[in-house]
Amino acid sequence: QVQFVESGGGLVQPGGSLRLSCTNSAPIYRLYDMGWYRQAPGQARELIAHITTTGRTNFVDSVKGRFTISIDNALDAVALQMNNLKPEDTAVYYCNTQPARPGYWGQGTQVTVSS
């Protein structure tokens, strides 16, 4: 069964950077568009970044210009580079296909932005 594994989260000060990574037992990103999602406390999970199988990317306005999504071919991973982090970026971050497949959710990785 496909299940993604996210890593790279942590505690960072406002303005700092983190790089998240998403791996799977197979390079599923070659078959499907991929997305990074996040869920803040008390809020619904939302798609924030999307990369197609052809490499096109899209971002939600709140992260545009600060986050980038890419495929790390050496690691067979989907990466999310997050720069200039803000407290409102605090959330659990997940990856999944886009659109998301319910059975593919992993545990996510916690990102906390705080001074």
Side-chain angles (χ1 to χ4, degrees):
Q1 180 173 339
V2 175
Q3 190 169 58
F4 294 105
V5 178
E6 301 89 353
S7 62
L11 173 63
V12 63
Q13 292 186 343
S17 298
L18 283 174
R19 183 177 177 84
L20 306 184
S21 184
C22 167
T23 59
N24 183 263
S25 57
I28 197 169
Y29 60 85
R30 298 178 185 174
L31 301 176
Y32 302 107
D33 294 357
M34 293 294 299
W36 276 97
Y37 303 76
R38 69 184 181 188
Q39 186 168 21
Q43 297 186 24
R45 192 174 301 178
E46 63 169 338
L47 174 68
I48 60 167
H50 167 211
I51 185 167
T52 70
T53 55
T54 59
R56 290 174 55 190
T57 60
N58 286 289
F59 302 90
V60 69
D61 285 346
S62 60
V63 308
K64 198 172 293 183
R66 300 188 297 123
F67 291 11
T68 57
I69 184 172
S70 61
I71 303 298
D72 187 331
N73 290 301
L75 298 177
D76 267 346
V78 182
L80 183 71
Q81 177 66 43
M82 306 187 295
N83 299 325
N84 190 22
L85 283 161
K86 304 176 180 180
E88 51 263 42
D89 294 319
T90 295
V92 180
Y93 284 70
Y94 304 85
C95 70
N96 202 322
T97 56
Q98 164 56 18
R101 287 165 168 79
Y104 289 10
W105 293 112
Q107 296 299 307
T109 185
Q110 175 70 47
V111 171
T112 303
V113 185
S114 174
S115 56

